[in-house]
Amino acid sequence: MFVIVSGDPAVAAAVVTVRPNVWYDGRVGVLDELYVIPDRRGEGVGSAIIEFLHDHARAVGIDAIEINVDEADVDAQRFYDRHGYSSIEPDTGERAYYYFQELVTLT
């Protein structure tokens, strides 16, 4: 896991978890969070973080980056599309979805 921080004081941060993936032959970095404070959005801060992420990932042997984006967050979808990401599975051409279930312990 690593964190990328931009600015002093910080105006943006990205949290990345690195792990193996059963569907991909190589190390995968999952961009768990990318946040830019609202009044600094549109200035290229997020793009600079993505560029740094790609460079750092290559340098440490990460072969792919995964990102989960909410359906309603069209701004984030456009942002990641602009940076070469796709929500289409390359092997099947189908749209990828993310499912979630919280496991609660009954006491």
Side-chain angles (χ1 to χ4, degrees), residues 46-48 50-51 54 78-85:
S47 293
I50 291 294
E51 184 178 324
H54 291 170
R78 280 193 301 266
F79 175 81
Y80 294 121
D81 286 341
R82 199 167 60 246
H83 291 284
Y85 290 88

Side-chain angles (χ1 to χ4, degrees), residues 78-105:
R78 280 193 301 266
F79 175 81
Y80 294 121
D81 286 341
R82 199 167 60 246
H83 291 284
Y85 290 88
S86 174
S87 62
I88 305 300
E89 283 288 330
D91 294 336
T92 63
E94 297 175 352
R95 186 165 171 84
Y97 289 94
Y98 166 76
Y99 288 86
F100 172 80
Q101 179 178 354
E102 185 173 14
L103 302 176
V104 227
T105 305

Side-chain angles (χ1 to χ4, degrees), residues 17-28:
T17 307
V18 182
R19 55 184 168 227
N21 184 309
V22 297
W23 298 280
Y24 185 81
D25 188 24
R27 288 179 29 155
V28 175

Side-chain angles (χ1 to χ4, degrees), residues 49-92:
I49 287 178
I50 291 294
E51 184 178 324
F52 182 89
L53 168 60
H54 291 170
D55 291 343
H56 181 72
R58 287 184 193 99
V60 298
I62 295 171
D63 302 302
I65 303 292
E66 292 181 348
I67 306 166
N68 294 306
V69 178
D70 295 333
E71 182 179 10
D73 196 346
V74 294
D75 291 338
Q77 293 170 28
R78 280 193 301 266
F79 175 81
Y80 294 121
D81 286 341
R82 199 167 60 246
H83 291 284
Y85 290 88
S86 174
S87 62
I88 305 300
E89 283 288 330
D91 294 336
T92 63

